[in-house]
Structure formats: structure tokens, C-alpha cells
Amino acid sequence: MSSEIQRLTSSEDKVSLGSMADVDETRKTALVVLYDATCCAPEFGLAVEDFALELADLRARGITYHDLRWLICAGYVVHLREQTPSRGLRRRVRPSNSLAFSERSCFLLTAEGEKFASHVQGNLSRPAPPGQRTATADRRVLREATPRWDASRRELRVRSLVVKRFKTPAANQEAILTVFEEEGWPIRIDDPLRRQSDLDPKRRLHDVIKCLNRNQVNRLIRFHGDGTGEGVGWELTGDGLS
């Protein structure tokens, strides 16, 4: 964690302006979602900013710009801006003092926000240090995660971690990822690739699945055939977090 982010998230200079009565259900949802992200980082031995939540993720849960500004001004949340270069392998973020948000905005809990979110969830205990984390905890976090295919950035992610980033067009792989994303990542989809008279569709699907599993930045997803040659499935793994 950068020293500046550590200072902001652990600082007690800000006095929280909120109380349980002041925080409505939507803001409590934001705190709980951010708390979950905070807990993920030490379980995998990663910096907490690796799990900073993007604006789009929070907005999708009904959290408004006003809610986020309130949480920031109340001292519960820190606003960050994504600085990761297009070809970067590790996430980089920078603190922002602005209350104006963009698609590169992401957010973390402060120490006060973490305490409040823990109270909201029933005084959840802070996760064990990395050296004490368990395989059960790792599996729990993975089991609760859903991949996300960002077609505009051409990135496949699990939470904030990049699984694959396509630098050149890969039409067949991207077609499969697009269908998974559109259907909400079911465990299996039918082969979505268009038939070509000169290609065996089962062989082609097999080859595309192999390509999906290659060159993953973080090896968190394994794609596989369904045994009939007519469908493709996926599962989360912990290989890229060791």
C-alpha cells in the first residue's frame, strides 16, 4: 500500500459526522460492499487498493453520487483515481480530493468506515493476517466472486484483478466472453461461434477454450468444454493468488 493511501485510510484526523441514525440503507449497502472488498485484500496477501471498488460497481447497486459524496465528507470513504496504464500488470491508484467522479474513480473505506461497516454487519471480525489466512477463506471469496468482461477495455476481471487483457483482436474468445457477460455468467453456455463450412466446430471450440486459458495475467478462471463439444463452462481457481 502506498504511504499516502495508508495515511488516508487509517487517519483519525477526520471526525465522522455520521451516526447509525444518519446512514440510510443505500449508504449502509455501500459501506458493506466496500467492507467486503477491504477484507479480500489481506486474505490474498494483496494491497488493499488492489480491491478498491470502481464507480460502476457501486452505481450498479443503486448507490448515488450524492451517497458517495456524503460518505466521503463523513470520513467513511476515500476517493481514488485509477492510474493503471493500459498494459500494466499491477493496479495503481492515486488519492483524489475531488468530489467530482469519473469512470476512473474507485473507492476504499477509511479506518472509521471499516469500523462502522463492521458494526453494520454485526461486528464482523477483521480478517486474519496473510500468514494466517486459510484455504477455506480463499475459497469463500472466490465462490462469491463473479467475473466481468469489459468489452470496451477488452479486459476480463475477477473483482479488481485482471485475468486477461487483449492487446490484439481475438474475435472467437471475445465472442464467448461477451455471451457469458450478457447472460450473467451462468456455469455453461452453448457454443456461440458461427459455423464455418471448412472448420470442425467441436475442434474449433476446443482450440478457443485452450486460448482462453492461456496467457492469463492472474490465473483465476479455468474454461472447459462440457463434454459434448457443443458448450463451454468455467470455474474460478486460486492458482493466480498463490
Side-chain angles (χ1 to χ4, degrees), residues 149-201:
W149 165 241
D150 187 333
S152 62
R153 293 188 177 187
R154 304 177 71 229
E155 287 181 350
L156 175 63
R157 290 176 176 261
V158 173
R159 295 189 183 270
S160 64
L161 298 178
V162 174
V163 177
K164 292 203 75 168
R165 179 181 288 119
F166 294 91
K167 300 176 183 178
T168 58
N172 289 336
Q173 293 182 65
E174 294 181 56
I176 289 174
L177 295 174
T178 295
V179 172
F180 270 121
E181 184 70 21
E182 289 175 349
E183 296 188 6
W185 289 89
I187 60 173
R188 177 201 174 278
I189 61 171
D190 291 331
D191 178 1
L193 305 179
R194 291 184 178 180
R195 296 294 186 262
Q196 294 179 252
S197 59
D198 58 338
L199 293 176
D200 176 7

Side-chain angles (χ1 to χ4, degrees), residues 31-39 109 114 117-118 121 124-125:
L31 290 169
V32 169
V33 171
L34 287 163
Y35 182 84
D36 178 62
T38 298
C39 291
L109 289 179
E114 186 175 343
S118 176
Q121 285 200 342
L124 294 178
S125 60

